Amino acid sequence: MVTPDDPGRGPGADKRARRCPVSPPAGATAIGLRPWRRPSGRRLAAAVAAVLLGLAAVVAPRLAGPHPTPVYVALVTSHSGAGAVRGEEITRGIEFQLERINRDSGVSGHPVRLLKYDDGADPQVARRTAHRIVRDDRVALVIGNTTSPTALQAAPVYDAAGVPFITPTATADGITGSRWCFRTTYTNTYQASFIAAYAHHVLNARSATVLYATDAYGTSLKEGFRRSFSRVGRVHGLVALDNQDTGRRAQQLRRVLETVRADPDDGPVVLAMDHDLALTTLTHLRAHGVRAEAIGGDALSNAQFASALARSAQERSQRQSMTDRFYAASPQLADSLTGEGLEWVGAYRDRYGDVPSWKAMAAKTAIDLAVESLRRAGVHHPHVTAIKRTAVRDALASVDSPARAIRGWNKPVFFDHTRSMHRHVIIGRVQDGDIVSAPVQLTGYDQTDDIDVDEELATGRAIRFEDQVLARQQIVHTGVNVNQVTSLKTHEQTFKADFFLWLRYSGDDAAADVEFPALADQKFKLPKPARESTVNGITYRLYQIATTFSASLDFHDFPFDQQHLRITVQNRVLPSSRVIYVVDEPVLKQDRTTALQSGQDVALSIDGLPNWTVDDLHQYTDTVGSTARLGDPDLARSENGIHRAQYVADVTVARDVGPFLVKNLLPLLLSAAITYATLFFPRDPRYTSTRISLEATAMLSAAVLLTNVTGSLPDIGYSVALEWAYYAFMFLVGTCVFISLAGAWLVERDSVRSWNRLAHASRIYYPVFCLAVLLVYVVHFG
């Protein structure tokens, strides 16, 4: 029976009594509150596990994503027979680049798969293989047939069936005669005219003897050289060598020797032939005392041929007799690449143990073009129609000018009117068993240049050959050997470096007139060479330099940042059209461990930075310039301003994150733990102000800690990675304040069940939020 004197009794009182068997704290009864009950650890763990499993159920499918259907490209190379080495180089170049492409979403999210075929370097096998491929409706595009004879047999089949075809290395002119066939190198006619120009204007030849193989490659290269060189000099003799008739080889070689010796001007010998025949022919000439310069086409511009020359018995018996006066034309040499290209070369070398040949690099370009054409044509299905193949072909054909080009390492990549790659010939020489850039090059101007031809020719900076104007360019083989990097000051953005710099070149000493554009020490002057010599017209200079450089530091990822400390060398007086600094061949071949050894003591590391770790050292060529001529009357309009050649040694350093985080995040973690503990305070309203006070203090402390942590950074106008963690914590604490206020509001309204639900949710929300932030950082920064 309820009486007026018993205010605790009434409807539901017995039920409330069962829920609250213990006496409430003083003051609680007056407003009808129930005491807080601690949830069991098992219930809390189960709730957290349920939330995490729910998140996993939602996020995992998104991370895994659907399994997109692949698109297919046929790859036809020679894995057996005489072309096995070339086939392996091309396969490696394509597979290595394709891994990167597929990691970067492939063709609009669809992975690219290769269908591999072996033509055995046999033209008839290549033709039969082409018939098999065109009947496979998976094939959207074909890359391959890496020799001229095999490509000439296969190309008509692809043309008749309407299947786009790209050859990375076959140079015979007739291959791209059809509208369905393309190549990522130049034609024999084009390279032959370049060889003729080089022989006349650089080697000062007035006559030349052409020795050629009677196959498609040799005859087209011979004819292209004869036609071009006859306009400026005399083709003294043409001698055919039959690759197949080895029985008459001795007779053929006698005729070769007689013809070469009969040249009264002792002009160069042009080797329009492949590897084995060229080695036999050149060995015969050198063994009989013929010292004339020899120059070959792209078939001889590879490490295998250079190594064969260096290891030959003739070279061992008479040092440099085979290698000293030999030249070869190449579409690309690794030492002339810029930073991005050399990064690819370094990664390739780390994978396969060798510097990639021009064939591997041309194959890389071929798969880049293939994927871009598939993307533009919208190929997203493993089975393609004739309409889609036509769209792929049209997409390839549209890459026909700088405006429509795809991005290349040094210059934009596009096809010329013959559907061959628009690129200039690089002349290489043998050094240490490899092909490197010759000391002097003839380089064409870009089509977009506004060339004052008369001024270029009058000053001797360029020569005219047929319909081309070619600039003379001095090549300086360059290298940096770092002794130590010290004293990185992030606030001042400077660092100190001690290193050796060497330059090796032929010709004008202006090539060695260098400066360091990023110097922080304005009083620095280039010291005298520590070592200097000139042998056979090649000048070598070695400098030891120790000074302070400015660094352009990027703190977006602070404190997980990697910084690039660049030592940049550039010519002080000559533009890039006159001199270029290329990476010396020993630098190209050195691995990461060797690169990080001190130049003064191999037992020491170049790392002299406290709180940082030196990760890597990359060296590459570059150019920098402005669009203004600055009033210099000596600059041709073709140079579009002052463009300087640069050489960059890029030291990559990473911050020691572990000690930094322990030192700077420990106070934040303690503050986070205290804030989380407030979520377990009782329901008693007396704790509300304490909770809010602690949470507000945590927020203010985070702001102070953030100021201290970022105090070592210069004045930057963006938020760094660590700031976002502090911002996330402040947001989290702000929600805790809101939860505390909401809980107080529920207490006032005697909403016990709602308060309990809010308390349980907040205790789950807090660690889940922290785990989510941690996951984001782990995923993004590893």
Side-chain angles (χ1 to χ4, degrees), residues 246-549:
T246 56
R248 296 180 57 238
R249 186 59 45 80
Q251 179 182 347
Q252 292 173 338
L253 291 175
R254 282 196 299 272
R255 184 184 172 200
V256 164
L257 186 60
E258 292 169 358
T259 305
V260 172
R261 282 177 167 172
D263 184 354
D265 297 319
D266 195 24
V269 177
V270 179
L271 302 173
M273 57 191 68
D274 218 326
H275 179 285
D276 293 336
L277 186 56
L279 183 61
T280 301
T281 303
L282 188 59
T283 301
H284 185 77
L285 291 174
R286 297 304 191 227
H288 287 81
V290 175
R291 296 289 298 150
E293 281 135 336
I295 186 166
D298 63 281
L300 308 184
S301 178
N302 56 68
Q304 290 75 33
F305 188 71
S307 178
L309 292 181
R311 290 185 289 101
S312 65
Q314 174 63 30
E315 179 79 0
R316 291 196 300 271
S317 65
Q318 190 176 352
R319 189 172 180 270
Q320 294 189 330
S321 61
M322 296 287 284
T323 58
D324 185 41
R325 297 168 67 84
F326 172 77
Y327 301 84
S330 178
Q332 186 73 73
L333 290 175
D335 62 10
S336 62
L337 294 175
T338 57
E340 184 181 0
L342 280 178
E343 183 276 327
W344 191 90
V345 167
Y348 180 101
R349 181 201 60 217
D350 293 343
R351 168 74 66 84
Y352 299 111
D354 296 315
V355 174
S357 67
W358 75 262
K359 301 175 186 67
M361 291 186 274
K364 181 263 184 194
T365 303
I367 193 63
D368 283 343
L369 281 162
V371 169
E372 180 60 24
S373 65
L374 294 172
R375 187 179 293 120
R376 293 182 182 183
V379 176
H380 301 148
H381 199 272
H383 300 279
V384 293
T385 63
I387 294 175
K388 279 297 183 185
R389 284 174 169 173
T390 301
V392 173
R393 183 265 161 205
D394 292 344
L396 278 172
S398 69
V399 187
D400 60 357
S401 66
R404 299 180 178 181
I406 71 168
R407 185 171 173 233
W409 282 331
N410 292 359
K411 294 181 179 179
V413 171
F414 61 94
F415 296 110
D416 62 17
H417 66 283
T418 69
R419 285 178 292 282
S420 302
M421 189 58 57
H422 178 82
R423 62 169 76 240
H424 301 302
V425 179
I426 301 173
I427 302 297
R429 293 193 66 181
V430 177
Q431 177 185 317
D432 297 331
D434 208 347
I435 293 287
V436 300
S437 297
V440 179
Q441 300 289 330
L442 296 177
T443 180
Y445 293 107
D446 288 338
Q447 294 181 352
T448 54
D449 285 341
D450 181 16
I451 300 174
D452 185 339
V453 175
D454 293 335
E455 184 179 356
E456 294 288 277
L457 297 174
T459 57
R461 289 195 294 261
I463 59 99
R464 183 190 295 277
F465 196 81
E466 298 183 352
D467 60 343
Q468 301 180 79
V469 176
L470 305 176
R472 295 179 184 271
Q473 189 179 64
Q474 196 173 2
I475 301 298
V476 182
H477 288 90
T478 311
V480 168
N481 200 337
V482 178
N483 298 321
Q484 197 168 50
V485 177
T486 59
S487 187
L488 173 57
K489 298 180 179 179
T490 55
H491 204 274
E492 290 82 2
Q493 299 197 63
T494 62
F495 69 96
K496 291 182 180 180
D498 182 335
F499 61 95
F500 290 109
L501 167 70
W502 70 88
L503 309 170
R504 194 176 64 255
Y505 59 93
S506 173
D508 194 343
D509 286 338
D513 189 355
V514 296
E515 61 184 357
F516 301 91
L519 273 177
D521 180 6
Q522 299 304 317
K523 296 181 180 180
F524 172 84
K525 291 184 179 180
L526 188 69
K528 292 182 179 180
R531 195 180 308 162
E532 188 173 14
S533 65
T534 301
V535 180
N536 296 328
I538 303 296
T539 299
Y540 167 77
R541 291 185 179 180
L542 175 70
Y543 302 89
Q544 182 170 4
I545 297 164
T547 187
T548 302
F549 295 91

Side-chain angles (χ1 to χ4, degrees), residues 19 22 100 188 230 293 298 424 440 466 489 590 678:
R19 276 193 285 169
V22 297
R100 295 185 164 204
N188 278 341
S230 295
E293 281 135 336
D298 63 281
H424 301 302
V440 179
E466 298 183 352
K489 298 180 179 179
Q590 70 183 6
T678 65

Side-chain angles (χ1 to χ4, degrees), residues 185-228:
T185 184
Y186 40 57
T187 65
N188 278 341
T189 296
Y190 184 79
Q191 73 164 321
S193 67
F194 241 88
I195 292 171
Y198 197 87
H200 180 69
H201 291 282
V202 178
L203 303 182
N204 301 314
R206 293 176 294 173
S207 65
T209 301
V210 182
L211 314 177
Y212 66 97
T214 55
D215 55 19
Y217 175 79
T219 54
S220 59
L221 193 62
K222 173 264 298 185
E223 194 57 32
F225 180 87
R226 184 196 63 77
R227 186 167 51 248
S228 295

Side-chain angles (χ1 to χ4, degrees), residues 59-82:
V59 174
R62 294 179 179 271
L63 292 177
H67 297 287
T69 55
V71 295
Y72 291 95
V73 170
L75 174 61
V76 188
T77 54
S78 305
H79 296 294
S80 58

